[in-house]
Amino acid sequence: MSVNIAAIQSAVQEAGAFVRPLFQELGKVIVGQTYLTERLVMGLLANGHVLLEGVPGLAKTLAVKTLAQCLQVKFSRLQFTPDMLPADVIGTQIYNPHTGTFSTRKGPIFAHLVLADEINRAPAKVQSALLEAMQERQVTIGDQSFRLEEPFLVLATQNPIEQEGTYPLPEAQVDRFMMKLRIGYPSRAEERQILDLMARTSGLPQVRPVVEPEQILRAREVLNDIYVDDKVKDYIVDVVCATRNPEEYKIPVREYIQLGASPRATISLTLAAKAHAFLRGRGYVTPQDVKTVGMDVLRHRVMITYEAEAEEKTPETIIQKIFDELPVP
């Protein structure tokens, strides 16, 4: 097995040669926010959509735009509003009176990186228009289905402060996001750096493209080969099952959980852990990889009860309790 892991390790380091230049370019524009930029790249590698939550002004949109500029891919930005229609996202059929036929006009969803800005401002019918694209990587307009080009990634932002004109995302859509990131404020030193870098009316930092789409697709193939030991696989399954039946693992949080994580969480947790190992140049996954990405993968998949809310408990505190008490292999 050691020979195989050595070969995988070599393939990971070769396929991941673009990682350092990519983070260097992102660092020209995004100060601090290592957690944010790293998770965005992990989503890209693991072929998983990412939901970013944070108050306005924390560079969520800027980070996604900068990532697209570094990748030499087609980028599309959708500003979600309450009066939006599904056709504004996926496209529509237009009737030509001269020929008596319909032609298809593709919407902004036909891009490699799609930024869904303030996704919780659009009504349910617009949210549902994204479901097929996010899961099946295809879009149906009229009676025709169109495949979306790879790599395809939806990166959505939302404001955690409930305001007028926001809609809660449907559970089916939330579950399609591999990770949900909570973005916090920068430190004082980082804030000072941001001032030096950004407090000007023009001449803002520019990035150059350093990664081609083929390199991302190649990295995804290598990611599939990253070794996950049976004990680590069992640990991943135990973590997810503990969100559904914590009493089986003697973790006293049963009365706080309304709904546990779905099997999609198991898949996402494995892929995210592999992506975390890939970024560190490793050809194998450790339990620490699972613990590091676990909160991002699970926080939006565990629904809490009224009792939990009354006791001011959050999905994060319950998930942390599970990670703290579950034996690590």
Side-chain angles (χ1 to χ4, degrees):
M1 184 54 71
S2 59
V3 177
N4 289 340
I5 288 181
I8 296 166
Q9 192 110 343
S10 171
V12 164
Q13 286 167 359
E14 187 185 331
F18 66 83
V19 169
R20 187 185 290 272
L22 175 58
F23 282 121
Q24 282 173 346
E25 286 300 308
L26 288 170
K28 289 180 183 177
V29 178
I30 309 299
V31 176
Q33 298 291 20
T34 311
Y35 162 77
L36 168 60
T37 53
E38 190 175 87
R39 295 302 188 271
L40 287 177
V41 175
M42 279 167 52
L44 191 68
L45 291 170
N47 199 15
H49 311 294
V50 183
L51 179 61
L52 314 177
E53 185 176 280
V55 296
L58 294 180
K60 300 185 299 294
T61 306
L62 181 64
V64 176
K65 282 180 71 175
T66 308
L67 179 64
Q69 288 167 357
C70 293
L71 291 179
Q72 299 182 357
V73 293
K74 188 180 177 190
F75 171 68
S76 186
R77 175 177 172 166
L78 281 161
Q79 188 66 52
F80 280 58
T81 55
D83 59 350
M84 207 172 188
L85 296 170
D88 297 330
V89 177
I90 63 171
T92 187
Q93 289 188 315
I94 297 171
Y95 180 68
N96 187 332
H98 299 296
T99 60
T101 58
F102 286 91
S103 60
T104 301
R105 178 177 291 172
K106 293 180 178 180
I109 195 78
F110 288 89
H112 293 108
L113 275 189
V114 177
L115 170 60
D117 214 11
E118 294 198 87
I119 193 169
N120 56 336
R121 292 202 173 275
K125 60 185 177 182
V126 178
Q127 305 292 357
S128 61
L130 279 171
L131 294 183
E132 183 184 16
M134 289 175 71
Q135 184 61 34
E136 278 86 36
R137 301 296 200 278
Q138 68 173 28
V139 171
T140 303
I141 304 172
D143 57 355
Q144 278 185 292
S145 290
F146 301 90
R147 293 296 303 172
L148 293 165
E149 282 184 64
E150 291 289 352
F152 171 73
L153 208 61
V154 173
L155 303 167
T157 69
Q158 68 175 19
N159 189 335
I161 306 163
E162 283 304 314
Q163 295 174 326
E164 272 188 57
T166 60
Y167 301 81
L169 299 184
E171 281 78 9
Q173 184 180 18
V174 170
D175 200 44
R176 278 167 167 78
F177 285 102
M178 173 181 269
M179 292 184 282
K180 179 181 178 181
L181 313 183
R182 286 262 163 86
I183 314 302
Y185 287 112
S187 66
R188 187 189 183 283
E190 288 166 352
E191 192 97 21
R192 183 69 171 76
Q193 246 182 302
I194 292 167
L195 188 154
D196 290 338
L197 196 66
M198 295 293 188
R200 56 185 69 202
T201 54
S202 60
L204 293 175
Q206 296 294 313
V207 296
R208 58 192 175 86
V210 288
V211 186
E212 294 179 359
E214 292 73 28
Q215 289 174 280
I216 299 295
L217 299 178
R218 166 76 185 124
R220 285 182 180 178
E221 286 177 22
V222 174
L223 191 94
N224 290 333
D225 296 331
I226 288 179
Y227 176 70
V228 186
D229 190 80
D230 285 343
K231 288 180 182 175
V232 178
K233 288 179 182 176
D234 289 339
Y235 179 58
I236 290 168
V237 172
D238 284 341
V239 167
V240 175
C241 288
T243 67
R244 303 173 198 159
N245 304 302
E247 65 277 6
E248 289 182 15
Y249 298 89
K250 297 182 173 56
I251 302 172
V253 291
R254 171 71 269 178
E255 69 272 23
Y256 302 132
I257 297 174
Q258 182 183 345
L259 195 67
S262 69
R264 200 184 266 133
T266 310
I267 298 165
S268 295
L269 192 49
T270 308
L271 288 171
K274 283 185 173 187
H276 191 264
F278 182 96
L279 289 184
R280 276 144 190 79
R282 272 191 279 107
Y284 57 92
V285 171
T286 67
Q288 189 56 47
D289 290 321
V290 178
K291 292 185 84 164
T292 304
V293 300
M295 190 65 76
D296 301 317
V297 173
L298 295 172
R299 64 158 54 97
H300 55 301
R301 292 184 160 101
V302 174
M303 289 179 63
I304 57 174
T305 58
Y306 291 121
E307 287 84 353
E309 289 181 23
E311 294 185 30
E312 297 187 344
K313 293 192 183 295
T314 62
E316 280 94 341
T317 55
I318 290 158
I319 293 162
Q320 192 58 55
K321 177 92 171 158
I322 289 170
F323 273 117
D324 290 344
E325 301 210 1
L326 205 62
V328 178

